[in-house]
Amino acid sequence: MKDYDETTELLGHWGRFQQIIFFFLCASTIPNGLGCFSIVFLAGSPSHHCLIPDVNLTQEWNKAIIPVKVMNGEDEVSQCSRYRLDVVRNLSAQGFIPGRDVNLTDLEQEDCLDGWSYSKDIYQSTIVSEFDLVCSEHWKQPFTISTYTIGVFTGSFFSGPLSDRFGRKPVLFVTIVLQMMFSFFQIFSPSWTVFNILFFLSGLGQISNYIAAFVLGTEIFQGNVRVVYCTLGVNIGFVIGYMMLPLFAYFLQDWKSLLVVISLFGLVYIPFWGLIPESPRWLLSQGRVKEAEVIVRRAAKQNKVQAPEDIFDSTGETKTSLHQESEPERHYNILDIIKIGHIRTTTLILFLLWFSTHLGYTGLSLNSANLHANPYLSSFLLAVVEVPSYFSSWLAIKVLPRRLSLSGVSILGAVSLYIIQLMPQSLPELNVSLEMLGKYAITTGNAMLYVYTAELYPTAIRNTATGMCSVVARVASTIAPFILELRFINKYLPNMIMGTLALACAVSTVFLPESFRQPLPETLEQMPKRGRIVCPCVTREEQTKPVVVLETQL
């Protein structure tokens, strides 16, 4: 009895069928990159100070009414207070000159009772200036980011089981539509509360369609094409959207205009429905053999190969290690992941890895406004550095054992973030370079982790397990904005936390099974219990002899 990969070997690995699906699935992740970190510009905080109403003040008092404070050794205009307007108005009317006739430190201060004046040097408009999310309302900025990631968290929690139950394709397109629709509705938000609610709903579709596209490609492609897709394909599509984001934001510089572009961009993907098929592997796992055969026959026609008369069914038996149409596989749920001992152990370790890498990835990505005076340039550089990260992950997945390579990049990320605090303040370019190196390492590990997770779990629970890991990752992304706020206590504290978690990731990885050059497991019984680091120079026979129970494929 053949397994799925053997049965569909007749299609080849890189025919017209695979090429079309590869392109459209990769393109489907561009909106994820475009919308994932849009909050950097939607909630950008422009320079501001208390608004001074049109009262009769002399030129000297107009300049002096805003207090100057020393921050980080430099004089900065106060953003949240002013000298009492009634007192200043009386002093101005009497002809007193600030600094000469009046000692400003003796004057009483008050809050910005008339609102704020926002600089338009960098942003024309953001939700911060729209809804006055400053001073006592400053907490709403990181909370807005967390609201979005909570939406992504919720979407991850439900999209996995829904995808395993109803299919990869429906979840992929439904979540794209959700993301597009609620992003557009945000433009008409009358208040920060309404904006936040819609931002949460938009987040429901953000990572859900990414995971669905990732798993769909993982199950359709084989061999090296699968590795290229998982490490380069979907990630390059994501980073293209990520690099487009600061370009759109720079030319628009208005939060409503940016949301229009982000939402309408999703309209491009509606025609993809007729071009992307359902996963035949998933259909077989549900006992829907005839539907899987239709897709494989269409693929054979596109690739100009001859399909046998019976692809999956011969003399009443399915030529695959999956399931017969008359006996569909039972539906697994989250409890099945934690009930079995070795699966539970693997899952808990993966939870730690996903939490660590996503906290570091999100934290470093959101920190773009603090790296350089120009947030557009900083965001673009943080996006560009992901390109070599994905190429590195592809090479590592292709030739190196999973545990060795994932531990290596985690250590590199930890060391980079640790030594930033040792660098002199007179060399800011070096600090930025080290943070970019940390982003490179953590992004590389993040990309590898998606592949590693998909390789460890069987088809029946692959999307559910990946979705659960994504839920843990969203928890990390939710608290990342608040971790960055710790820089007001100690500016190195966020990097130290992210570096420590990267080090924990490096250590815990060695306790996972090895999936290097192993076929995808189809059942819970085939899921590896433990493994060892495999040297790429060892022959396949030597690799599989002691620890592999399934035939090597990749």
Side-chain angles (χ1 to χ4, degrees), residues 4 162-170 273 277-296 311-313 318 320 322-331:
Y4 175 83
L162 288 174
S163 182
D164 283 336
R165 178 66 181 89
F166 298 106
R168 294 21 174 159
K169 180 177 175 179
W273 176 268
E278 182 57 87
S279 165
R281 192 188 294 264
W282 176 82
L283 290 171
L284 287 171
S285 74
Q286 303 300 303
R288 295 158 63 176
V289 179
K290 292 183 179 179
E291 294 177 60
E293 283 193 353
V294 170
I295 294 174
V296 174
I311 300 176
F312 297 114
D313 194 5
T318 302
T320 176
L322 297 177
H323 299 274
Q324 299 180 21
E325 185 172 10
S326 59
E327 298 180 5
E329 181 184 14
R330 81 175 186 88
H331 299 301

Side-chain angles (χ1 to χ4, degrees), residues 481-499:
F482 296 98
I483 295 295
L484 293 181
E485 293 296 307
L486 296 177
R487 70 182 184 273
F488 294 111
I489 300 175
N490 184 311
K491 61 182 178 180
Y492 299 117
L493 190 54
N495 284 338
M496 293 299 294
I497 293 174
M498 291 185 285

Side-chain angles (χ1 to χ4, degrees), residues 51-103:
L51 177 66
I52 307 302
D54 188 13
V55 295
N56 189 20
L57 296 178
T58 63
Q59 185 177 359
E60 291 85 357
W61 279 108
N62 263 320
K63 293 180 179 179
I65 193 172
I66 304 298
V68 176
K69 299 181 179 180
V70 178
M71 299 290 292
N72 297 320
E74 298 181 359
D75 291 341
E76 293 185 5
V77 175
S78 175
Q79 297 181 335
C80 301
S81 64
R82 69 187 183 190
Y83 295 117
R84 281 188 55 178
L85 185 59
D86 57 341
V87 174
V88 170
R89 186 165 46 194
N90 290 334
L91 293 172
S92 176
Q94 296 174 30
F96 291 106
I97 297 178
R100 190 191 71 179
D101 304 322
V102 179
N103 187 356

Side-chain angles (χ1 to χ4, degrees), residues 200-235:
F200 167 83
L201 296 174
S202 175
L204 290 174
Q206 170 57 241
I207 202 65
S208 303
N209 66 285
Y210 181 90
I211 292 177
F214 178 86
V215 174
L216 181 57
T218 300
E219 295 179 345
I220 289 180
F221 302 125
Q222 300 180 28
N224 289 331
V225 178
R226 177 190 294 153
V227 175
V228 173
Y229 173 78
C230 294
T231 54
L232 283 179
V234 290
N235 291 319

Side-chain angles (χ1 to χ4, degrees), residues 159-223:
S159 65
L162 288 174
S163 182
D164 283 336
R165 178 66 181 89
F166 298 106
R168 294 21 174 159
K169 180 177 175 179
V171 172
L172 171 64
F173 284 93
V174 168
T175 51
I176 287 178
V177 171
L178 282 176
Q179 184 181 355
M180 176 187 67
M181 181 174 62
F182 290 113
S183 294
F184 184 75
F185 290 161
Q186 284 180 277
I187 300 169
F188 308 101
S189 302
S191 66
W192 173 77
T193 302
V194 174
F195 179 92
N196 238 27
I197 294 172
L198 293 174
F199 211 27
F200 167 83
L201 296 174
S202 175
L204 290 174
Q206 170 57 241
I207 202 65
S208 303
N209 66 285
Y210 181 90
I211 292 177
F214 178 86
V215 174
L216 181 57
T218 300
E219 295 179 345
I220 289 180
F221 302 125
Q222 300 180 28

Side-chain angles (χ1 to χ4, degrees), residues 143-157:
F143 187 83
T144 301
I145 304 173
S146 296
T147 299
Y148 181 71
T149 55
I150 290 173
V152 177
F153 170 97
T154 307
S156 301
F157 189 82

Side-chain angles (χ1 to χ4, degrees), residues 321-357:
S321 59
L322 297 177
H323 299 274
Q324 299 180 21
E325 185 172 10
S326 59
E327 298 180 5
E329 181 184 14
R330 81 175 186 88
H331 299 301
Y332 293 94
N333 55 42
I334 296 171
L335 294 179
D336 294 299
I337 299 177
I338 61 177
K339 282 191 301 186
I340 303 175
H342 72 279
I343 300 180
R344 179 174 61 250
T345 302
T346 297
T347 301
L348 291 176
I349 295 175
L350 286 172
F351 282 176
L352 174 61
L353 267 57
W354 280 68
F355 182 90
S356 303
T357 56

Side-chain angles (χ1 to χ4, degrees), residues 258-550:
L258 183 58
L259 279 175
V260 169
V261 172
I262 292 174
S263 57
L264 295 184
F265 201 84
L267 292 175
V268 178
Y269 298 93
I270 294 178
F272 285 20
W273 176 268
L275 299 171
I276 298 177
E278 182 57 87
S279 165
R281 192 188 294 264
W282 176 82
L283 290 171
L284 287 171
S285 74
Q286 303 300 303
R288 295 158 63 176
V289 179
K290 292 183 179 179
E291 294 177 60
E293 283 193 353
V294 170
I295 294 174
V296 174
R297 289 189 187 281
R298 188 195 316 157
K301 184 177 181 180
Q302 287 181 303
N303 289 355
K304 298 181 180 179
V305 297
Q306 183 65 41
E309 182 177 349
D310 293 321
I311 300 176
F312 297 114
D313 194 5
S314 178
T315 64
E317 291 188 356
T318 302
K319 291 183 178 181
T320 176
S321 59
L322 297 177
H323 299 274
Q324 299 180 21
E325 185 172 10
S326 59
E327 298 180 5
E329 181 184 14
R330 81 175 186 88
H331 299 301
Y332 293 94
N333 55 42
I334 296 171
L335 294 179
D336 294 299
I337 299 177
I338 61 177
K339 282 191 301 186
I340 303 175
H342 72 279
I343 300 180
R344 179 174 61 250
T345 302
T346 297
T347 301
L348 291 176
I349 295 175
L350 286 172
F351 282 176
L352 174 61
L353 267 57
W354 280 68
F355 182 90
S356 303
T357 56
H358 277 74
L359 180 67
Y361 176 78
T362 305
L364 293 174
S365 298
L366 294 176
N367 198 39
S368 58
N370 302 314
L371 290 181
H372 193 275
N374 189 328
Y376 304 106
L377 178 61
S378 297
S379 182
F380 183 76
L381 290 176
L382 285 170
V384 169
V385 79
E386 294 194 13
V387 176
S389 296
Y390 296 135
F391 276 96
S392 298
S393 65
W394 168 62
L395 289 174
I397 290 293
K398 186 176 178 63
V399 301
L400 293 176
R402 307 296 185 250
R403 297 185 297 173
L404 177 64
S405 50
L406 186 56
S407 292
V409 294
S410 298
I411 292 174
L412 176 61
V415 171
S416 302
L417 295 175
Y418 275 142
I419 63 177
I420 287 178
Q421 62 180 325
L422 303 178
M423 296 299 103
Q425 294 299 309
S426 58
L427 298 174
E429 296 83 3
L430 184 57
N431 290 330
V432 172
S433 299
L434 286 171
E435 192 146 345
M436 292 292 177
L437 181 60
K439 174 73 182 296
Y440 159 81
I442 290 177
T443 303
T444 302
N446 190 34
M448 294 172 56
L449 197 53
Y450 275 89
V451 180
Y452 195 11
T453 302
E455 289 177 342
L456 288 177
Y457 288 101
T459 301
I461 59 171
R462 184 173 296 120
N463 214 74
T464 297
T466 306
M468 286 302 301
C469 288
S470 183
V471 166
V472 175
R474 292 319 113 196
V475 173
S477 299
T478 299
I479 69 174
F482 296 98
I483 295 295
L484 293 181
E485 293 296 307
L486 296 177
R487 70 182 184 273
F488 294 111
I489 300 175
N490 184 311
K491 61 182 178 180
Y492 299 117
L493 190 54
N495 284 338
M496 293 299 294
I497 293 174
M498 291 185 285
T500 301
L501 286 173
L503 188 60
C505 178
V507 174
S508 59
T509 300
V510 300
F511 297 100
L512 285 173
E514 181 58 69
S515 62
F516 181 53
R517 291 181 176 172
Q518 306 301 312
L520 291 178
E522 303 291 357
T523 65
L524 292 178
E525 292 74 19
Q526 293 175 346
M527 185 173 175
K529 297 182 179 180
R530 63 179 180 176
R532 64 178 186 178
I533 297 178
V534 182
C535 176
C537 60
V538 180
T539 64
R540 290 188 179 183
E541 291 75 17
E542 292 172 328
Q543 292 168 6
T544 58
K545 184 177 180 180
V547 294
V548 179
V549 296
L550 298 176

